[in-house]
Amino acid sequence: MEEMRARSFFALSALAVVAATPAQTSLGLANEFNAWILGNATAPGGHSEGAIAVGGNFSTGYEANQHRIYPTSLGKPEASIYVRGNVNVTDPAKFATQASFSLDQSNGLGLLAGNLISPSDPNNLFINVASFASVPGYAGVKVFTLPSSLLANPTYQNLQLGFNNVGSDTVIVNVTGGGTIDFRWKNSPNNANRVLYNFPGASSLLIGTNDSFNGSILAPTATVTQYKNIQGNLIAGGWTVVGAPELHFGNQWRFQGNAPVPEPASMAVLGLG
């Protein structure tokens, strides 16, 4: 049944996956934002290089969009923070549509069987992406499975995970397991803007308790607690900033991979299909 659901998801999404500009469309409207939060957010300190969108309320002293990377999809020219809850936005319906899109995408990606990440060294694991096959029918999309039990294993608390020879491929890392996930590993892909970590079962996600996080995060069911820098797009159910960490965006970090997306009907609703 799981395999059938996976095939159905990716068959329905085929047209959307090969959209003309995947760097702009593969995460939906959220591709334009350094952080897209489905629910509430609290960020007393820190700053982002790109714009922030919050679907609930935003309690903040945050400095957003230092690099003035203005999105175009929510109808407010040259705005840096978009909040559906306690601040009016031009088109609040798009927040609900993006929430549905991100949930569908996370669940769909989570159904796809990937190459199991299994370290043999407690300190380093470097994966040669070029040596792995693409998902059938999706050239250049490489999928890996990381059990959250490995992240919690004391043997690997200081492990550094690296993806080498990414090139123009897209790396999807499905982090399996529910509840609270503490991502302590150092991660150092050589093309972080083409790496997406998906957390389809998490309710709480701790990021940066050991080191900065390199790569984009798709965690629409989780409240993300950020301790150190996140370098890439952040899509989360909720967001809590501890201290004054940063969100980094721009061409070096902004997701430019080709992640499979929900069926074309969802793309059409977002105006991206």
Side-chain angles (χ1 to χ4, degrees):
M1 181 62 70
E2 292 271 313
E3 184 179 353
M4 290 176 63
R5 289 171 63 201
R7 284 202 302 265
S8 175
F9 169 80
F10 285 99
L12 285 169
S13 63
L15 292 178
V17 169
V18 294
T21 54
Q24 304 301 315
T25 63
S26 60
L27 297 179
L29 304 180
N31 249 117
E32 287 197 293
F33 291 80
N34 213 161
W36 186 294
I37 311 303
L38 278 60
N40 297 327
T42 302
H47 72 257
S48 68
E49 292 181 352
I52 305 292
V54 178
N57 295 327
F58 195 15
S59 174
T60 183
Y62 202 72
E63 183 183 356
N65 203 8
Q66 276 198 340
H67 286 192
R68 303 295 183 262
I69 305 170
Y70 295 112
T72 61
S73 55
L74 291 183
K76 273 185 154 184
E78 297 194 0
S80 295
I81 298 177
Y82 298 75
V83 184
R84 181 187 182 189
N86 54 356
V87 176
N88 219 3
V89 296
T90 304
D91 193 350
K94 288 185 177 179
F95 280 89
T97 304
Q98 178 64 45
S100 178
F101 180 98
S102 294
L103 287 164
D104 287 346
Q105 184 175 43
S106 181
N107 288 332
L109 290 175
L111 292 175
L112 188 64
N115 302 285
L116 182 65
I117 293 176
S118 180
S120 57
D121 183 308
N123 298 309
N124 295 292
L125 174 60
F126 294 98
I127 296 173
N128 180 14
V129 173
S131 68
F132 288 85
S134 301
V135 176
Y138 301 90
V141 178
K142 312 289 180 72
V143 178
F144 298 87
T145 299
L146 172 58
S148 60
S149 58
L150 279 177
L151 296 169
N153 188 328
T155 302
Y156 305 114
Q157 287 297 288
N158 296 308
L159 186 138
Q160 178 170 283
L161 174 65
F163 291 100
N164 296 332
N165 299 316
V166 175
S168 60
D169 288 341
T170 297
V171 174
I172 308 293
V173 182
N174 284 321
V175 183
T176 61
T180 297
I181 296 176
D182 185 355
F183 201 108
R184 288 179 170 270
W185 291 4
K186 298 177 181 179
N187 57 336
S188 55
N190 63 348
N191 290 59
N193 59 5
R194 304 193 71 84
V195 178
L196 176 67
Y197 287 83
N198 179 37
F199 298 83
S203 59
S204 178
L205 177 59
L206 311 180
I207 293 292
T209 52
N210 251 13
D211 202 6
S212 296
F213 190 96
N214 298 302
S216 292
I217 295 172
L218 178 60
T221 62
T223 294
V224 171
T225 302
Q226 180 188 354
Y227 294 90
K228 293 186 180 178
N229 296 349
I230 295 174
Q231 309 194 128
N233 295 72
L234 169 64
I235 301 172
W239 181 39
T240 300
V241 174
V242 178
E246 303 170 6
L247 291 174
H248 293 165
F249 208 41
N251 289 334
Q252 183 181 3
W253 306 113
R254 174 179 178 168
F255 185 67
Q256 297 183 39
N258 188 16
V261 296
E263 59 183 313
S266 298
M267 293 288 287
V269 171
L270 281 170
L272 297 171

